[in-house]
Amino acid sequence: MPGRCLTHGNPTVEVDLFTAEVLFRAAVLSGVSTGIYEALELQDNDKTCYMGKGVSKAIEHISKTIVPVLVSKKLNITEQEKIDKLMIQMEGTENKSTFGVNAILRVSLAMCKAGAVEKGVPKYDDITDLAANSAANSEVILSVLVLNIINGGSHAGNKLAMQELMNLPVGATNFREAMHIGDEGGFAPNILESEEGLELLKNSIGKAG
């Protein structure tokens, strides 16, 4: 069952998947800045509603096309790969401009959550298995943090072409220390060039020790 919620003040799509036992809910952020090669977030372009950023079309694709087909195929919720391939096949475009990635990704994520519970495994284990990278004989570890420090791009209000200058605290010995070293700030100083931002970042790291 699709519905609306808000991210950054913009509508996005939320999907509720009901099984015999529990409700699974999936929502993904509405992107503020997107690149030309990213999958398309389908919006209504009706300037009288949410300044054109409504998501009624994406919701309609879920309700009237995606869900009926998935139900008719009688796929099990644990068959994530088949579910995703079927949606991609139905969608039929490289950049997901027919249904919108905001439709497909929400359905996929709701299915992923439900599938992991059905299998009786944590979601990260299920995703690892789906990626054909079995963690059965390896230690589960947290990824290295990548933390945004200086913001640029179209939503930052400055002239910096790069969207983000980020810090990888690779010298940290644990997650807590890494967070302390590079806690995300999203600072958007009035700088003009990437080199200036990198120099500012370098000097700040030096002063902070």
Side-chain angles (χ1 to χ4, degrees):
M1 180 170 60
R4 296 176 183 83
C5 56
L6 295 176
T7 60
H8 306 294
N10 296 331
T12 188
V13 180
E14 182 178 88
V15 169
D16 287 352
L17 170 62
F18 295 90
T19 68
E21 298 175 351
V22 71
L23 160 67
F24 298 92
R25 176 167 292 160
V28 184
L29 295 178
S30 173
V32 174
S33 56
T34 54
I36 60 173
Y37 299 109
E38 292 184 42
L40 178 73
E41 179 183 0
L42 186 65
Q43 297 177 331
D44 297 340
N45 293 320
D46 177 3
K47 299 301 182 183
T48 65
C49 182
Y50 295 111
M51 297 189 294
K53 296 183 178 181
V55 290
S56 297
K57 291 179 181 178
I59 291 173
E60 188 173 337
H61 286 311
I62 295 172
S63 300
K64 295 186 176 181
T65 305
I66 296 174
V67 170
V69 171
L70 292 179
V71 171
S72 71
K73 295 293 183 180
K74 297 182 179 179
L75 294 171
N76 191 285
I77 55 175
T78 61
E79 297 180 289
Q80 183 76 40
E81 188 173 358
K82 289 183 180 180
I83 291 166
D84 288 345
K85 283 183 176 179
L86 179 58
M87 287 194 291
I88 291 170
Q89 182 182 1
M90 285 192 296
E91 210 285 332
T93 65
E94 186 69 25
N95 68 346
K96 309 300 179 285
S97 58
T98 301
F99 293 163
V101 71
N102 44 340
I104 291 178
L105 188 57
R106 277 62 169 185
V107 174
S108 178
L109 182 55
M111 291 286 189
C112 184
K113 289 181 174 182
V117 171
E118 181 72 13
K119 294 175 186 177
V121 299
K123 187 167 64 174
Y124 61 82
D125 271 350
D126 189 32
I127 292 172
T128 298
D129 183 53
L130 289 167
N133 185 22
S134 177
N137 298 313
S138 62
E139 183 182 0
V140 177
I141 60 172
L142 287 172
S143 300
V144 174
L145 293 172
V146 181
L147 297 149
N148 176 25
I149 296 180
I150 296 178
N151 272 14
S154 60
H155 66 290
N158 57 20
K159 302 294 184 182
L160 184 61
M162 297 175 72
Q163 181 176 323
E164 293 169 343
L165 298 178
M166 309 187 83
N167 172 31
L168 280 74
V170 294
T173 58
N174 55 50
F175 189 91
R176 183 187 297 273
E177 184 184 359
M179 180 62 76
H180 178 73
I181 288 172
D183 191 16
E184 184 164 351
F187 179 48
N190 188 24
I191 53 180
L192 302 178
E193 297 181 354
S194 300
E195 290 82 357
E196 187 179 357
L198 290 168
E199 191 64 31
L200 177 60
L201 187 57
K202 177 183 174 182
N203 293 338
S204 299
I205 290 171
K207 289 183 178 179

